[in-house]
Amino acid sequence: WDNPLQTFNSIYRIMKNNARIVISFRIDEHLDRELMKSHNYNLLNVCQVKQLMSESNFQHLTSYERTAISNKKKWKMVWLSGFKTD
């Protein structure tokens, strides 16, 4: 997303009251941050995404993290959820 805060604001705006949003992503410490940025990726950590969700008025933010293993490689999966409560 070019502007993650604007994207979260738009998602919040179109959601019904008491609806839940769940964002899931993989954390990969082996990614070359500069290479990803050169391809227009925004790399955010869990705290940054939570902050954006909070700034977009999502309430009752929770997170769940789990380590996944595939082909002898490990990475962390994260799920963040929040509610629209007006």
Side-chain angles (χ1 to χ4, degrees):
W1 302 331
D2 289 332
N3 185 332
L5 181 58
Q6 183 180 12
T7 301
F8 276 117
N9 286 338
S10 295
I11 293 169
Y12 185 88
R13 181 180 49 79
I14 64 170
M15 288 176 63
K16 293 182 180 181
N17 285 339
N18 300 315
R20 175 188 289 188
I21 182 174
V22 177
I23 305 292
S24 176
F25 54 95
R26 173 178 128 168
I27 297 175
D28 189 341
E29 284 89 16
H30 304 292
L31 287 175
D32 182 334
R33 298 185 77 76
E34 292 306 314
L35 177 65
M36 298 303 288
K37 286 181 181 181
S38 72
H39 291 284
N40 297 320
Y41 283 91
N42 284 320
L43 299 178
L44 305 172
N45 64 39
V46 175
C47 291
Q48 290 170 313
V49 177
K50 274 186 170 179
Q51 182 64 36
L52 289 167
M53 292 175 74
S54 178
E55 289 175 22
S56 295
N57 295 319
F58 286 103
Q59 303 293 312
H60 310 293
L61 298 175
T62 60
S63 64
Y64 173 75
E65 298 181 13
R66 181 177 148 204
T67 300
I69 302 172
S70 177
N71 297 328
K72 298 183 182 180
K73 293 182 181 179
K74 289 184 180 181
W75 64 85
K76 190 186 319 182
M77 291 294 300
V78 178
W79 292 265
L80 297 173
S81 69
F83 288 87
K84 178 179 181 176
T85 56
D86 280 338

